[in-house]
Amino acid sequence: DLLAIGAHPDDLELSCGGTIALLVAQGRSVALADLTQGELGTRGTKEVRAQEAEEAAHILGAASRHNLEIPDGNIEPTRENLLKVISLIRAVQPSILLIPHSIERHPDHFHTHRLCREAWFYSGLQKIETTFGGQVQSPFRPNNSFEYMQSYEFVPSFIVDISEVFETKMAAIRAYASQFHNPKSTERETKLSRPEFLEMVETRARYYGQQIGVRYGEPFFSTLPIGVRTPFDLLLNKG
């Protein structure tokens, strides 16, 4: 039903892990994909990150997790990379695609946005040929593409209530033990490894939850207008 794509292992858990867990709990099939192995990360190794990513996917209940092994720090919209993402989209055939926002602090994140936006469009063109598992693929384009929030904030098009699965989201984040605070670690400190970083994750979720009158929320941006069948279905912070 949904394919969530991130630049590095742990991007999805931090940005939209609650939405993933919520959809799985509702019976939806969710696939995850990391474009790189995170091999340029200051802490840990790509082998450790791979193990952590699988554990996190299990915690979230994802149907599958893929790694396209595009070089970390070099996520460029080349034809080779574009065909990798197109092939993945055609193999998974999701109704909805979750991707990074277009304006971001980390170059890999906004490069991932551009690559995914192009792949979303080109995956529907019949004359772009791809194969998967030795089989020629048919064209397929997801119905919608929504953007999740990472470092930089934006005005959300909608906010998902993740209150009932917030602890699942945090458990999936903590699966990346190599990346977050460990007082025994001898590796150099990063933004993520500071003791207050996970508190910030919770604070942001509380802030966006408060915007719609719930405990925790995750914000998303849509380039297209969002329709509702009735105003009574909306979640609003009561005035």
Side-chain angles (χ1 to χ4, degrees), residues 2-6 12-13 16-17 20-21 24 29-35 53-54 56-58 60-68 88 92 98 172 176:
L2 181 140
L3 171 61
I5 302 178
L12 297 176
E13 289 79 5
C16 56
I20 292 166
V24 170
S29 177
V30 179
L32 313 179
D34 310 303
L35 295 192
E54 284 304 313
H58 177 73
L60 294 175
S64 61
R65 187 163 205 151
H66 310 263
N67 194 297
L68 300 192
L88 175 66
V92 175
L98 296 185
Y176 293 91

Side-chain angles (χ1 to χ4, degrees), residues 9-219:
D10 78 16
D11 284 351
L12 297 176
E13 289 79 5
L14 289 166
S15 305
C16 56
T19 300
I20 292 166
L22 180 68
L23 292 174
V24 170
Q26 293 174 348
R28 297 288 186 179
S29 177
V30 179
L32 313 179
D34 310 303
L35 295 192
T36 78
Q37 299 175 83
E39 62 268 25
L40 293 185
T42 301
R43 297 167 70 95
T45 64
K46 66 179 183 180
E47 291 80 14
V48 169
R49 290 286 282 275
Q51 294 172 359
E52 293 170 340
E54 284 304 313
E55 181 182 352
H58 177 73
I59 291 170
L60 294 175
S64 61
R65 187 163 205 151
H66 310 263
N67 194 297
L68 300 192
E69 298 186 2
I70 294 172
D72 196 4
N74 191 30
I75 301 176
E76 299 295 337
T78 62
R79 182 164 182 81
E80 179 184 3
N81 289 343
L82 188 61
L83 291 176
K84 284 185 177 183
V85 182
I86 291 173
S87 179
L88 175 66
I89 291 173
R90 288 174 172 178
V92 175
Q93 297 194 0
S95 297
I96 295 174
L97 201 61
L98 296 185
I99 64 175
H101 189 52
S102 57
I103 302 175
E104 258 302 320
R105 170 179 175 270
H106 196 312
D108 279 354
H109 295 169
F110 59 75
H111 289 158
T112 296
H113 168 88
R114 179 181 173 185
L115 185 61
C116 289
R117 283 290 298 176
E118 292 190 13
W120 169 80
F121 181 82
Y122 288 127
S123 63
L125 300 187
Q126 184 172 356
K127 290 185 178 179
I128 293 182
E129 297 180 358
T130 58
T131 60
F132 189 85
Q135 300 294 317
V136 176
Q137 294 178 301
S138 299
F140 178 88
R141 181 182 296 139
N143 295 330
N144 296 294
S145 172
F146 301 128
E147 301 166 24
Y148 52 77
M149 184 180 291
Q150 294 186 268
S151 294
Y152 295 161
E153 296 188 356
F154 50 75
V155 177
S157 303
F158 62 92
I159 298 170
V160 176
D161 176 9
I162 63 165
S163 304
E164 66 182 75
V165 293
F166 180 73
E167 292 306 322
T168 303
K169 170 189 173 81
M170 295 306 295
I173 291 172
R174 291 189 183 97
Y176 293 91
S178 68
Q179 301 303 300
F180 301 111
H181 180 63
N182 178 358
K184 297 180 181 180
S185 176
T186 58
E187 295 181 292
R188 188 169 68 84
E189 184 179 77
T190 67
K191 179 181 177 181
L192 272 65
S193 71
R194 294 171 185 164
E196 65 272 16
F197 180 78
L198 292 184
E199 294 178 11
M200 183 278 292
V201 173
E202 179 171 2
T203 299
R204 173 179 277 182
R206 282 182 177 271
Y207 172 76
Y208 283 104
Q210 187 274 335
Q211 299 299 300
I212 58 172
V214 302
R215 191 167 179 81
Y216 296 108
E218 283 181 340

